[in-house]
Amino acid sequence: MAEKFKVARMFGKVVNKVKPIVFEGAWVPKPTSYALSELEAKKLNLKPVKKITVRFDPFEASSTNARWFLYLTSDVLLRETNLKCSFKVDVVNDRLPSQIGVELENGQKLKILPANLTPLEIMKEINSVVLPLVPPPLEESKIVQTKATKKQKR
Amino acid sequence: MSSWLLRPLSTVSVQVRNYGRFGRKPRITKPRPSHTYRALVEHIVQPKYVDFVKSLPPNETCELNAHYQSVTAAVETNVTKYETLLAREALMKFQSSQLTLIFHRNKMEGWDYFDASLALHKCGIKVEAIGKKILQIALDGTKYSNILPIFTGHQLIGFGMEKSDPKSVKAIFKALRRTPGVVLMAGILQDRIMSTSQLKSYSEWGNKHAELVSTLATVGGADLSRLDAVKSPRVTTQLLYFILKIFILFPKQAVCCVALLDGFRQILVACVSVLKSQFATFDASMFPPMLVSVPHPETLTTVPVLKEVDVDKLIVLTFVLSMVAAVFSLMIPMFFGSDPTKDDGYKGYTKPNPLIFCSAF
């Protein structure tokens, strides 16, 4: 449905100009930080990561973000990027804010306190550190020519 | 011509209905744009549904404003009959189960979830995924309201209707080692909220309780009767006689020593008897309650966390106390025996002269 209409009279004729449609379709609500963090988690690659530890107190307020991070990193496809990467979960009872620890292969350690961060910010921080260290994919090895393939060519 | 007149009229009307006036099929997926005036009227006539909350001015949409909070609360809490039914069933399960466990659910595939639920089913736990809205409706205002802060999403609840002894809890921990998709967070046992570490110590308590009871019965308990029998004024006078011989120059100090020793003996008796009575019946009540009331996460008050019971230290302490009590109970009759001036009923038995022991010192 066009938004604006122009009716012009030129030399006694009625010329109707209809503008193009700007928007068409269903109105979708703005995606939340949880949905956007899921998209960020799909970009993550755990090859340079050695160990991930998540420590939280379930009765503490900041445990929701830690638990969401656990939920995202428990994806099968993400874990298949590095099967040697170990995950440790500490459920404590000390009412202290939760912690996320990421240990990399090159010795670097990343400590995140998810108390005042949104899930999107947590994933972006980790991606900014981890993704530059991901090695490039290997080139496809050359196909070895066998006698059968050579005969087919002839 | 007669055949044309005799044809049925239904065919004529169907043909007209399907293809309209001009005999063409109407384009439904890609309709022709309507005339300008018709399009204008259609655009004006479309209804505009305004969101009441978004139409409010910014001073009223402030989150601290009570009016805004009341309006949003009324809109969000729209409870249906089905939800109340589910909430009632959930509350019944909470009340009827002897052991409830609360898990965090990770992202896992269907067969992994089936394997985890099967492993827990073998331990006597039935796993269910209940939403946080239904749990809020079910547990709000009940004695389980203190556990609501955990339910923020991705949770599983396990109900153990039959077993709640330490052996079964140990089996549950063994099964959870092979299920990384399920993480134990807390549990409810005998109307007490227990953390994972407390549940683990409860599961390990089964063997240690037997050790403790045996130490109390054999070492401490056996000598308790001796200590009780020795509680007589003769003993204190004999003690005084012995000590006066040695500390004859300091009689006042001697009296103080006697009083101290007698008091220490009484304290030992009381400690061992208290420990024995406390650990006679093994119950979750010996664990301190995790928290009587859990504050809302948004409050800034600090909540005291009670320390857990250290079982190994308790056993060592009771053993040491009982050994000391045994030594004292043996010392007193060994060195003093019975008063030779009074007749105890012994006949044909020569009693040792206590003066010989005193002269030796």
Side-chain angles (χ1 to χ4, degrees), chain B residues 41-194:
Chain B
V41 170
E42 277 175 1
H43 182 72
I44 291 162
V45 161
Q46 266 177 10
K48 286 185 180 177
Y49 299 108
V50 179
D51 193 359
F52 174 69
V53 174
K54 286 181 183 174
S55 65
L56 290 172
N59 63 330
E60 287 193 23
T61 54
C62 179
E63 284 180 356
L64 297 170
N65 196 328
H67 174 66
Y68 177 76
Q69 283 176 5
S70 64
V71 164
T72 49
V75 168
E76 283 172 4
T77 57
N78 183 21
V79 180
T80 58
K81 283 185 184 177
Y82 184 56
E83 282 166 354
T84 51
L85 193 143
L86 290 170
R88 211 185 308 137
E89 280 183 10
L91 183 62
M92 274 163 60
K93 284 171 190 167
F94 268 93
Q95 285 167 349
S96 61
S97 68
Q98 291 189 19
L99 172 68
T100 52
L101 298 170
I102 296 149
F103 304 100
H104 166 76
R105 182 188 174 158
N106 278 333
K107 219 185 226 183
M108 53 185 172
E109 288 164 340
W111 44 71
D112 292 331
Y113 176 69
F114 177 76
D115 290 337
S117 61
L118 183 70
L120 287 166
H121 180 74
K122 286 179 182 174
C123 302
I125 301 287
K126 196 179 174 188
V127 171
E128 288 192 22
I130 305 172
K132 62 182 178 185
K133 190 182 176 186
I134 287 162
L135 285 164
Q136 186 80 32
I137 296 159
L139 305 178
D140 201 12
T142 61
K143 63 179 177 178
Y144 304 102
S145 59
N146 287 333
I147 209 161
L148 280 170
I150 284 180
F151 301 126
T152 54
H154 297 297
Q155 74 265 355
L156 290 171
I157 301 169
F159 297 105
M161 300 293 178
E162 294 171 359
K163 297 177 189 175
S164 66
D165 55 309
K167 269 188 179 177
S168 55
V169 176
K170 203 170 186 179
I172 288 162
F173 273 105
K174 203 177 174 183
L176 283 172
R177 262 186 251 157
R178 293 194 177 183
T179 55
V182 168
V183 178
L184 179 63
M185 291 197 294
I188 300 171
L189 185 70
Q190 294 174 12
D191 289 342
R192 277 161 208 280
I193 301 168
M194 311 264 278

Side-chain angles (χ1 to χ4, degrees), chain B residues 219-233:
Chain B
V219 183
D223 294 311
L224 262 180
S225 56
R226 257 199 201 171
L227 286 170
D228 287 333
V230 160
K231 216 194 317 184
S232 59

Side-chain angles (χ1 to χ4, degrees), chain B residues 210-223:
Chain B
E211 270 180 54
L212 204 135
V213 167
S214 65
T215 52
L216 286 167
T218 54
V219 183
D223 294 311

Side-chain angles (χ1 to χ4, degrees), chain A residues 34-50:
Chain A
Y34 289 99
L36 291 168
S37 62
E38 276 191 79
L39 295 169
E40 283 288 328
K42 284 182 182 176
K43 297 177 195 171
L44 184 58
N45 194 329
L46 293 175
K47 275 197 174 163
V49 177
K50 196 177 172 186

Side-chain angles (χ1 to χ4, degrees), chain B residues 308-344:
Chain B
E308 292 161 8
V309 173
D310 202 347
V311 175
D312 295 319
K313 282 184 185 172
L314 265 172
I315 291 169
V316 168
L317 196 113
T318 49
F319 191 75
V320 165
L321 280 171
S322 54
M323 287 304 285
V324 172
V327 165
F328 265 92
S329 62
L330 286 167
M331 257 172 69
I332 290 159
M334 212 160 69
F335 288 108
F336 307 110
S338 55
D339 196 351
T341 55
K342 289 187 184 173
D343 189 13
D344 290 328

